[in-house]
Amino acid sequence: MSRADWEVVIGLEIHTQLKTKSKIFSGSSTAFGAEPNVQASAIDLGLPGVLPVVNKEVYKKAITFGLAVGANINRRSVFDRKNYFYPDSPKGYQITQLDLPIVENGQVTVELPSGGTKTINLTRAHLEEDAGKSLHENFHNQTGIDLNRAGTPLLEIVSEPEMFSSEEAVAYARYIHQLVTYLGVSDGEMSQGSLRCDANVSVRPVGTIELGTRTETKNVNSFKFLEQAIEYEIERQIQVLESGQTVRQETRLYDSVKGETRPMRSKETATDYRYFPEPDLLPVEIDDAYIEAIRLEMPELTGAKSDRFVEQYQLSQPDALSLAANIPLADYFEEVVRSGGDAKLANNWVRVELLAQLNKDNVSIENSPVTADQLGTIITKIADNSISGKIAKTVFEALWRGETKSAADYIEEQGLTQVSDSSSLEPLIDRIISENPKQTEQFRAGKTKLMGFFVGQVMKETQGKANPQQVNEILNEKLK
Amino acid sequence: MIVDKDVVLNIAELAQLKIEDHEIDHYVDSLSRILQLVEEMQSVDTQDVEPVSNPLDGIQRLREDQVTEEDQRELFLANAPESEQGLFLVPRVVE
Amino acid sequence: MIHEQSIREILTSLDNKQYSCRELVDHFIARASDADPNLNAFITDTYASARNEADHMDKLRSNGTAPPLAGIPIAHKDIFCTRGVKTTAGSLMLDNFVAPYDATVVEKLSAAGTISIGKTNMDEFAMGSSNENSHYGPVKNPWSEKAVPGGSSGGSAAAVSARLCVAATGTDTGGSIRQPASMCGITGIKPTYGRISRWGMIAYASSLDQAGPMTKSAEDAAILLNVMAGYDEKDSTSANQTVPDYTQSLNQPLKGLKLGFCKEYFGDGLDPKIETAIQTALRQFEAQGAEIVEVSLPSSKHAIPAYYVIAPAEASANLSRYDGVRYGYRCEDPVDLEDLYKRSRSEGLGDEVKQRIMVGSFALSAGYYDAYYKKAQQIRRLIKNDFAQAFEQVDLIIGPTTPSTAFSLGEKTSDPISMYLQDIYTITSNLAGLPAGSFPVGMEAGLPFGLQIIGNYFDEGRILNLAHQFQLESDWHRLTPEATT
């Protein structure tokens, strides 16, 4: 048998940290990167006598996500305790939602890199608390426990097992990442663990209906690793089955250094979770008015925004989509248009010049040194022929470097306004013609390529400020 | 439900309790008696009865998303059996 | 004698400068220092800080800025977290735990000016009905050295009964305030679930636990409840209901009050002397204008099985945090994580606690959840419905608190079931979340016993009203154990 004889079935559980100021059940900060345990309060540490209280914003974020994927928002949701012992789980149980999660039954359609689209159903998305971190280095053969992350709100988004390749799974994970980032539900910082995937993978002989035994590869935190982990699992399971053995249902870890998965050894995997309703919390009830209010506040979804950009600004479909997919970038673009007027120029400048600079200096759009208003001014000046595209770049760079605060002032101060005045250009051109008799003669003899030489001379003399079109016209006239 | 040695050891594993060999019979016996006591519940017809999880059948109040906690690490670490560099220490964990 | 005075009398004496807060506190500290080596009612004393606070309260009194209960010496059950003071819950597991924060109850009582002289002994993690399950040794009943004080708030009951403090805090999950109150001849009330914040109160069974005052009289209980009760945003299960002034309703006439006589409470297993005393009390209420109505609570008979599933199940999760990692007992030289967990927990927790964790883990385990935990929560609904029906007919329900007077130390330790049956009359109000109090109603063979009054939700005022009216006409609550006279 070969790989072609096997069908792969994949379901993903995506844990996304919600973008809130405080934790799901305590008033501790969720900021990333603090010193160990300075953001672990009495509640986060599970001290005797402490009690949880639910953060409102966490619900808002979960509902926002649910609405964006067309899911049911449960009017009544209930928190449960999931019992297991692990040092990064300070209470000995995790507060999560089992039977009545906030979100159920959504659907997303994603574009596949190899072409076509794929629709994936979401089983549910439930709220829960994140665990702390175990640090295994440098403590005389002991593990250090940092509970800063304990209690960070998570939305666990569970898909149906209906992806049939790592390509589909990764495209789906990327889509969810983009969506939660776009919606502001999560900051989407993968490098900080804001989005982690558990991949449930099984294989079955082509043509069978029954699912094969699955393994769950936990905590994969990059798309590249997700693809590698799934591919490894597929190959491994096929090999196991083809050698006549059976796949063990188990939890595995992806080792990105070795590029392989291996069974998890920790106790957490083997236990009976003994779920029961969390008696320290009450059911959460959400009314229609609250859901509608969230719907009104929701950002325009990517598809709708992209269509609008095509319609309103006459952008091409791909340009519109690439702007619309990134809310802050799209907002910036629209602000540039409001200030600068010309949507085509704005599109070019934002997507090409600005993005290149942002990437080069590793700056986010929110922190761009050139404001939308400043870029708008530049575009206005290009559109009315006050400056050339080349000068515009000089102005942009000056703004980027913080050498000036105002594009208009800078153009003025540096005397960068295009010279379009023929009364000042004509004497200059006359002089250049008389100083270059040889070239003039050759030009007039038919070597019209020399036009570039004359334009270059003019530009040199005017330090690039001459309006190239006008220079051409005058030269053509004088060299006749 | 019959409680035997395996049941006791399995529950002890879930509860992370160490049961010595000489204690097993005691647990088999006492758990059996308690389960016998509660077995009486099975005679009650509870079809369609909504379980109570909170006596007041209340609704959860939601808290505003504000950071209200300050760093009290040193105070909390004072109760820790073993800590270093702000971390709680446990025997090495292999994941 | 100062220690026989009610809170109201003490406050008047302080106002009249008959003695200072410091003298008052010293008086109780002297009594406690004298009696407690024998009684074992306290795990930790806070005499030094109590004296400082008393001096501070004297200053506030002299400049007219004293809070309402300035100087009243109390004690806290060692289940309430007290900042900077060891808080053990009666367990070796927390023998080295210095609470880094105050429970809401502690904070409120402190803000009202009361002064805690110590932390009282208790059954470990409030699991027990005799105070014999304490890591710190059993508490003796002040009425008889051979008898238990009841539990789990046995230290608080004994301390108030022996007049070592004016009042004490307790907690009640299945009767842990009322049963020891009955056995020690004092007044104790478990309010409606959610009436008093659970923040900082070490959890046994979250959906059943409720704090309450343990006092010499209903009037003192009303005064303390005024301070302890109220909504707390730190406790999601606390009730957002205004707190009435419980002292205002104490003197309402009983005329027209409908009292439920629950026949299920007066069957086999109840000491006939207790039944007779309750009947006598009912006649007295009738004479004061109340009407006695028979009510039925048929599902009550399932209360003990339901309780001994629900409470251990919740406890099994609540006590998982005691793992030797962040605080509390850690075993010597653990070889690995599993060894750390298992030995720390097995060595740090006592037998009854481990037994309940085992029962609870079983009741929640795969395949048994529906038959045990869910079934018990459904029975709880039936019990709640019974009460709802009964309270359509009556205002309060009267019954015994305990089947008998205090039993002997060691008498029931080998038989958990007979110990569990101690809670037969008290458990139902925890399951339903209803307020209930125990008030001294008689003596048998030198040991006191109580009358239980169960009220409708948030009707603590009426319970205290009836008890106060009874106490105006009787002296049972004034009797003190010979050991202290």
Side-chain angles (χ1 to χ4, degrees):
Chain A
M1 290 172 88
S2 71
R3 173 123 182 209
D5 301 315
W6 296 94
E7 186 173 55
V8 177
V9 181
I10 303 162
L12 290 187
E13 292 163 20
I14 298 180
H15 298 80
T16 180
Q17 288 183 341
L18 301 179
K19 196 161 97 184
T20 56
K21 295 192 210 71
S22 65
K23 293 187 180 176
I24 182 166
F25 301 122
S26 81
S28 305
S29 169
T30 55
F32 181 81
E35 286 292 302
N37 288 312
V38 300
Q39 286 167 194
S41 67
I43 294 175
D44 309 321
L45 292 179
L47 290 190
V50 299
L51 296 166
V53 183
V54 183
N55 183 341
K56 192 178 194 172
E57 189 63 21
V58 162
Y59 258 83
K60 190 174 168 190
K61 297 268 193 277
I63 293 168
T64 302
F65 174 80
L67 292 174
V69 297
N72 296 336
I73 307 300
N74 281 328
R75 299 304 191 264
R76 185 181 174 87
S77 52
V78 171
F79 284 101
D80 298 282
R81 289 186 183 177
K82 177 184 181 180
N83 294 286
Y84 66 92
F85 285 86
Y86 206 65
D88 62 15
S89 170
K91 299 184 294 298
Y93 55 84
Q94 179 195 31
I95 305 178
T96 180
Q97 296 179 326
L98 180 69
D99 287 333
L100 284 171
I102 175 66
V103 171
E104 279 184 292
N105 302 327
Q107 195 179 69
V108 297
T109 298
V110 305
E111 284 182 41
L112 299 174
S114 60
T117 60
K118 163 91 185 179
T119 296
I120 294 141
N121 289 294
L122 305 186
T123 319
R124 55 189 282 149
H126 61 260
L127 289 165
E128 61 185 28
E129 55 183 335
D130 207 344
K133 281 182 186 166
S134 303
L135 307 169
H136 303 299
E137 299 85 26
N138 294 330
F139 300 104
H140 349 285
N141 213 27
Q142 299 194 84
T143 292
I145 306 296
D146 173 10
L147 295 170
N148 279 346
R149 198 179 67 178
T152 297
L154 290 180
L155 186 67
E156 179 174 337
I157 302 159
V158 182
S159 82
E160 289 291 317
E162 51 189 29
M163 287 163 277
F164 303 123
S165 66
S166 59
E167 184 202 12
E168 289 181 3
V170 171
Y172 163 75
R174 283 186 187 278
Y175 180 91
I176 295 292
H177 174 247
Q178 196 191 46
L179 181 64
V180 294
T181 311
Y182 177 90
L183 293 169
V185 162
S186 173
D187 66 15
E189 296 290 349
M190 307 266 303
S191 61
Q192 297 175 5
S194 290
L195 193 112
R196 285 120 57 194
C197 301
D198 297 348
N200 290 299
V201 178
S202 66
V203 298
R204 60 184 170 194
V206 168
T208 42
I209 293 164
E210 204 179 320
L211 287 171
T213 305
R214 68 183 166 84
T215 60
E216 181 180 10
T217 304
K218 274 182 123 50
N219 271 327
V220 186
N221 60 5
S222 90
F223 299 124
K224 193 178 104 197
F225 294 161
L226 180 63
E227 183 179 357
Q228 289 170 356
I230 292 172
E231 283 301 319
Y232 181 88
E233 245 338 84
I234 293 170
E235 290 299 333
R236 189 188 67 83
Q237 291 186 17
I238 290 175
Q239 232 172 45
V240 167
L241 292 169
E242 289 189 345
S243 68
Q245 295 166 289
T246 52
V247 172
R248 276 180 52 181
Q249 180 162 349
E250 64 190 357
T251 308
R252 301 177 70 89
L253 271 183
Y254 180 65
D255 182 332
S256 58
V257 178
K258 293 184 182 157
E260 59 185 42
T261 68
R262 59 172 168 82
M264 243 176 125
R265 289 173 63 183
S266 57
K267 304 268 359 161
E268 187 191 336
T269 62
T271 194
D272 166 354
Y273 290 127
R274 290 157 289 142
Y275 286 97
F276 73 104
E278 163 58 284
D280 287 332
L281 294 171
L282 305 172
V284 177
E285 290 196 352
I286 299 292
D287 61 18
D288 293 352
Y290 185 64
I291 292 172
E292 285 319 304
I294 291 175
R295 199 191 298 276
L296 285 175
E297 267 184 50
M298 270 174 70
E300 190 179 20
L301 292 177
T302 312
K305 181 168 283 191
S306 170
D307 291 349
R308 180 168 66 80
F309 282 6
V310 170
E311 172 87 4
Q312 188 175 344
Y313 304 120
Q314 282 84 48
L315 302 188
S316 73
Q317 189 85 44
D319 285 4
L321 194 63
S322 82
L323 285 172
N326 182 332
I327 291 190
L329 192 70
D331 289 349
Y332 187 100
F333 161 74
E334 293 209 85
E335 232 180 289
V336 174
V337 176
R338 268 193 295 281
S339 149
D342 190 315
K344 284 234 151 78
L345 276 173
N347 170 41
N348 258 323
W349 273 84
V350 170
R351 283 192 320 97
V352 183
E353 302 297 338
L354 178 71
L355 272 187
Q357 276 296 344
L358 291 172
N359 286 336
K360 194 173 139 218
D361 291 3
N362 198 18
V363 175
S364 71
I365 180 76
E366 288 93 338
N367 298 320
S368 167
V370 180
T371 66
D373 219 39
Q374 290 168 335
L375 184 53
T377 309
I378 294 178
I379 282 163
T380 313
K381 297 283 185 193
I382 300 172
D384 71 5
N385 277 325
S386 303
I387 55 173
S388 65
K390 200 170 158 217
I391 293 291
K393 277 183 199 170
T394 312
V395 178
F396 179 83
E397 278 159 17
L399 285 164
W400 187 272
R401 287 190 303 265
E403 285 166 21
T404 178
K405 292 272 168 247
S406 156
D409 290 355
Y410 188 77
I411 292 165
E412 184 72 39
E413 284 158 23
Q414 303 287 318
L416 295 177
T417 312
Q418 283 193 128
V419 182
S420 310
D421 177 5
S422 52
S423 63
S424 64
L425 281 174
E426 275 183 35
L428 173 68
I429 288 173
D430 285 342
R431 180 161 62 81
I432 286 169
I433 289 173
S434 65
E435 281 171 1
N436 294 285
K438 198 172 150 201
Q439 285 83 351
T440 307
E441 199 177 312
Q442 288 174 336
F443 183 89
R444 285 182 175 144
K447 202 172 178 187
T448 50
K449 272 195 206 154
L450 279 170
M451 178 58 91
F453 165 78
F454 289 107
V455 173
Q457 291 298 310
V458 178
M459 285 303 177
K460 196 171 151 195
E461 295 280 339
T462 60
Q463 288 156 317
K465 289 179 293 183
N467 180 337
Q469 209 182 333
Q470 188 135 19
V471 172
N472 266 298
E473 276 169 23
I474 300 170
L475 276 168
N476 267 322
E477 186 65 30
K478 303 248 179 207
L479 288 168
K480 244 196 264 180
Chain B
M1 175 63 211
I2 293 165
V3 177
D4 58 19
K5 184 183 165 183
D6 288 345
V7 171
V8 165
L9 291 177
N10 178 48
I11 305 170
E13 190 62 33
L14 290 178
Q16 292 287 290
L17 292 171
K18 189 181 183 76
I19 306 269
E20 304 290 347
D21 286 347
H22 68 270
E23 296 173 312
I24 293 177
D25 286 346
H26 162 74
Y27 275 103
V28 167
D29 178 56
S30 60
L31 287 190
S32 299
R33 286 165 67 191
I34 293 164
L35 291 178
Q36 210 179 334
L37 169 78
V38 306
E39 203 57 38
E40 183 261 339
M41 295 192 307
Q42 306 309 330
S43 66
V44 185
D45 179 8
T46 52
Q47 182 114 36
D48 300 325
V49 175
E50 176 71 16
V52 171
S53 49
N54 170 266
L56 297 180
D57 291 321
I59 296 305
Q60 179 66 33
R61 180 187 64 86
L62 301 175
R63 166 178 70 78
E64 292 302 322
D65 180 26
Q66 280 161 359
V67 176
T68 51
E69 295 286 350
E70 290 166 6
D71 172 19
Q72 297 190 80
R73 184 175 77 175
E74 299 317 313
L75 179 64
F76 294 147
L77 283 177
N79 273 310
E82 206 174 341
S83 66
E84 194 176 310
Q85 295 173 38
L87 296 157
F88 299 98
L89 295 189
V90 297
R92 188 167 177 79
V93 177
V94 183
E95 279 179 346
Chain C
M1 295 295 277
I2 295 178
H3 51 272
E4 294 303 340
Q5 288 185 311
S6 71
I7 293 177
R8 201 156 47 87
E9 288 163 348
I10 292 173
L11 291 174
T12 306
S13 301
L14 287 168
D15 285 345
N16 296 340
K17 301 197 164 52
Q18 285 167 275
Y19 45 78
S20 66
C21 295
R22 177 60 188 265
E23 284 163 339
L24 174 67
V25 163
D26 279 339
H27 176 77
F28 280 98
I29 288 175
R31 289 182 64 79
S33 310
D34 183 41
D36 205 50
N38 183 37
L39 272 185
N40 200 27
F42 289 91
I43 291 173
T44 304
D45 76 62
T46 51
Y47 298 158
S49 62
R51 289 190 181 104
N52 287 338
E53 285 168 41
D55 290 341
H56 181 60
M57 287 302 156
D58 279 325
K59 276 196 201 112
L60 296 185
R61 282 197 167 274
S62 66
N63 67 23
T65 57
L69 302 183
I72 301 293
I74 63 162
H76 286 299
K77 184 176 181 179
D78 206 19
I79 201 167
F80 292 99
C81 285
T82 42
R83 189 180 169 97
V85 176
K86 192 169 87 158
T87 300
T88 70
S91 182
L92 170 62
M93 180 55 82
L94 292 177
D95 184 55
N96 56 6
F97 178 69
V98 177
Y101 73 105
D102 274 333
T104 298
V105 161
V106 170
E107 203 175 271
K108 284 185 157 191
L109 283 167
S110 171
T114 67
I115 294 168
S116 172
I117 64 163
K119 306 291 295 286
T120 62
N121 204 341
M122 57 182 283
D123 282 302
E124 184 176 4
F125 287 105
M127 299 181 192
S129 307
S130 69
N131 224 301
E132 290 165 296
N133 297 336
S134 169
H135 169 68
Y136 301 92
V139 178
K140 287 178 186 161
N141 190 316
W143 296 85
S144 161
E145 293 210 344
K146 294 194 183 70
V148 301
S152 65
S153 311
S156 286
V160 173
S161 169
R163 310 303 192 234
L164 310 186
C165 52
V166 171
T169 53
T171 63
D172 189 316
T173 305
S176 282
I177 286 175
R178 292 160 287 160
Q179 187 252 20
S182 174
M183 289 184 168
C184 290
I186 65 164
T187 290
I189 181 162
K190 177 203 92 74
T192 308
Y193 181 84
R195 177 75 291 182
I196 295 177
S197 170
R198 294 187 296 118
W199 173 259
M201 186 175 116
I202 296 176
Y204 161 20
S206 309
S207 75
L208 300 162
D209 294 343
Q210 181 60 205
M214 302 178 77
T215 55
K216 294 195 290 261
S217 68
E219 184 192 63
D220 283 2
I223 291 169
L224 282 197
L225 191 55
N226 276 350
V227 176
M228 295 166 75
Y231 174 64
D232 182 3
E233 59 182 24
K234 295 204 283 285
D235 175 2
S236 297
T237 62
S238 94
N240 199 350
Q241 291 243 353
T242 49
V243 180
D245 180 347
Y246 295 109
T247 61
Q248 289 301 303
S249 47
L250 290 173
N251 286 311
Q252 271 176 21
L254 302 187
K255 193 164 168 49
L257 197 66
K258 289 192 174 131
L259 302 180
F261 174 84
C262 172
K263 56 179 188 255
E264 284 88 357
Y265 286 171
F266 296 89
D268 289 346
L270 177 62
D271 184 330
K273 283 257 173 56
I274 295 181
E275 176 162 358
T276 307
I278 290 170
Q279 295 288 2
T280 307
L282 284 172
R283 299 293 85 77
Q284 185 189 318
F285 295 142
E286 272 185 315
Q288 288 174 280
E291 185 187 335
I292 312 297
V293 180
E294 192 172 298
V295 293
S296 177
L297 300 167
S299 297
S300 292
K301 61 176 177 291
H302 309 301
I304 287 205
Y307 176 86
Y308 279 98
V309 168
I310 295 165
E314 293 182 6
S316 72
N318 282 334
L319 272 67
S320 290
R321 66 191 60 199
Y322 306 110
D323 58 6
V325 176
R326 297 163 313 286
Y327 50 81
Y329 180 86
R330 173 181 281 206
C331 66
E332 293 268 328
D333 303 323
V335 297
D336 58 19
L337 184 66
E338 188 179 341
D339 190 41
L340 167 74
Y341 280 161
K342 289 187 174 171
R343 280 203 292 129
S344 298
R345 290 169 59 74
S346 292
E347 293 165 18
L349 299 172
D351 288 342
E352 180 63 23
V353 171
K354 282 187 275 191
Q355 180 147 294
R356 293 196 196 187
I357 289 174
M358 293 282 284
V359 171
S361 300
F362 174 79
L364 292 172
S365 65
Y368 298 106
Y369 177 85
D370 284 355
Y372 289 96
Y373 188 74
K374 189 176 169 199
K375 186 86 181 179
Q377 295 286 42
Q378 287 174 314
I379 287 172
R380 197 171 176 183
R381 177 71 62 191
L382 300 177
I383 289 169
K384 206 165 142 45
N385 291 346
D386 276 2
F387 275 111
Q389 271 187 347
F391 282 118
E392 279 173 17
Q393 304 163 57
V394 299
D395 301 306
L396 296 168
I397 294 170
I398 309 299
T401 307
T402 55
S404 64
T405 56
F407 46 91
S408 300
L409 279 160
E411 185 184 328
K412 294 184 196 289
T413 43
S414 60
D415 181 4
I417 307 284
S418 72
M419 191 76 91
Y420 293 177
L421 293 173
Q422 276 299 310
D423 303 329
I424 193 155
Y425 306 121
T426 46
I427 271 177
T428 49
S429 43
N430 297 89
L431 289 169
L434 292 164
S438 179
F439 308 92
V441 74
M443 296 283 293
E444 188 197 353
L447 290 171
F449 55 84
L451 160 89
Q452 184 176 213
I453 307 172
I454 304 172
N456 208 342
Y457 296 104
F458 301 102
D459 213 3
E460 290 81 2
R462 198 129 46 167
I463 295 173
L464 293 167
N465 170 214
L466 179 65
H468 181 66
Q469 292 306 306
F470 180 74
Q471 291 179 347
L472 287 176
E473 302 288 324
S474 63
D475 280 329
W476 298 112
H477 66 294
R478 291 189 205 281
L479 298 182
T480 56
E482 282 178 359
T484 69
T485 55

